[in-house]
Amino acid sequence: MKRNAVIAALTAVAVIGGGAAAVAVSSGDDAPATASPADRVSLVSGQESTAPADRDDDQDAKDDDRDDRRDDAKDDQDDQDDQRDDKGAAADPGNVTVAQAIAAALNHTSGTVLSADLDDDGDRRWEVEVATGGSTVHEIEIDSTTGKVVRTETDRDEDDAAAELKAVQGAKVSARDAAAAVDATVTSVEFDDGHWEVEAGEADWTVPLDTPRASREG
């Protein structure tokens, strides 16, 4: 029995990973017929991109993290600057500390120190007030770099000098002790209103006359 239609050839080509599959079908008794373009079926399957769809979101997150780190670093720097100000880093007393300036002044003129202050003008000198009795006060200027006495001035009618001298002479805490009570670079120590006032950078401190304990003002 003669068959009217014979499937002569079936060719399949498959390309894995994004290739194509083609199937050609021909009919006839003896020779395969050439498949027309309409008979050809092309199947194309492609791999979808494996790139993450949220790549932009990841980049934004990285940018945010970098900005946060920069902000944290700036905050840390601001904190360090504040600490330096509290410890008197903004003031530059040269090579001579307040204690050394007081010692140099007393070595020059024996008495009781009422104040020691680092002058802010171009000379950068320590001005130390030494009371010697009655209303007499000697102002002794100390070079802040060399520690040498560069100038002296005597006032024999200083207001309140006698009362201040009496209070300080009877105190347990001297000007030098008050300055040492502040853990910072002191630029001024002065007896005022029954206690010592100490300046260190941007911070002000008070020290009582009976104990070397500093309390920050404000």
Side-chain angles (χ1 to χ4, degrees), residues 93-104 116 126 128 142-144 147 179 185-186:
N95 299 325
V96 178
T97 66
V98 62
Q100 292 169 333
I102 290 175
W126 284 100
V128 183
I142 310 295
D143 189 294
S144 64
T185 304
V186 173

Side-chain angles (χ1 to χ4, degrees), residues 10-16 18-24 41-45:
L10 176 62
T11 305
V13 179
V15 179
I16 301 174
V23 179
V41 178
S42 177
L43 302 178
V44 179
S45 63

Side-chain angles (χ1 to χ4, degrees), residues 98 101-102 113-118 126-129 187-190:
V98 62
I102 290 175
V113 174
L114 300 180
S115 69
D117 181 71
L118 181 63
W126 284 100
E127 297 178 353
V128 183
E129 289 187 339
T187 56
S188 177
V189 56
E190 179 181 7

Side-chain angles (χ1 to χ4, degrees), residues 3 5-13 22-36 39-40:
R3 291 179 300 174
V6 178
I7 299 175
L10 176 62
T11 305
V13 179
V23 179
V25 181
S26 64
S27 61
D29 293 337
D30 298 323
T34 302
S36 67
D39 293 332
R40 296 189 182 93

Side-chain angles (χ1 to χ4, degrees), residues 106-135:
L106 291 177
N107 186 56
H108 182 274
T109 302
S110 180
T112 301
V113 174
L114 300 180
S115 69
D117 181 71
L118 181 63
D119 195 0
D120 290 333
D121 62 18
D123 293 335
R124 304 296 292 172
R125 296 174 178 176
W126 284 100
E127 297 178 353
V128 183
E129 289 187 339
V130 179
T132 56
S135 298

Side-chain angles (χ1 to χ4, degrees), residues 15-116:
V15 179
I16 301 174
V23 179
V25 181
S26 64
S27 61
D29 293 337
D30 298 323
T34 302
S36 67
D39 293 332
R40 296 189 182 93
V41 178
S42 177
L43 302 178
V44 179
S45 63
Q47 295 180 343
E48 294 182 356
S49 174
T50 59
D54 59 348
R55 179 179 298 171
D56 291 340
D57 292 339
D58 291 343
Q59 186 61 43
D60 290 341
K62 291 179 180 179
D63 291 341
D64 290 340
D65 290 341
R66 184 166 54 249
D67 291 340
D68 290 341
R69 288 194 297 269
R70 288 175 179 172
D71 291 340
D72 291 342
K74 185 177 183 302
D75 291 340
D76 291 341
Q77 185 62 46
D78 291 340
D79 291 341
Q80 292 174 8
D81 291 341
D82 291 340
Q83 292 174 1
R84 281 196 297 269
D85 288 342
D86 289 345
K87 290 193 173 183
D92 181 14
N95 299 325
V96 178
T97 66
V98 62
Q100 292 169 333
I102 290 175
L106 291 177
N107 186 56
H108 182 274
T109 302
S110 180
T112 301
V113 174
L114 300 180
S115 69

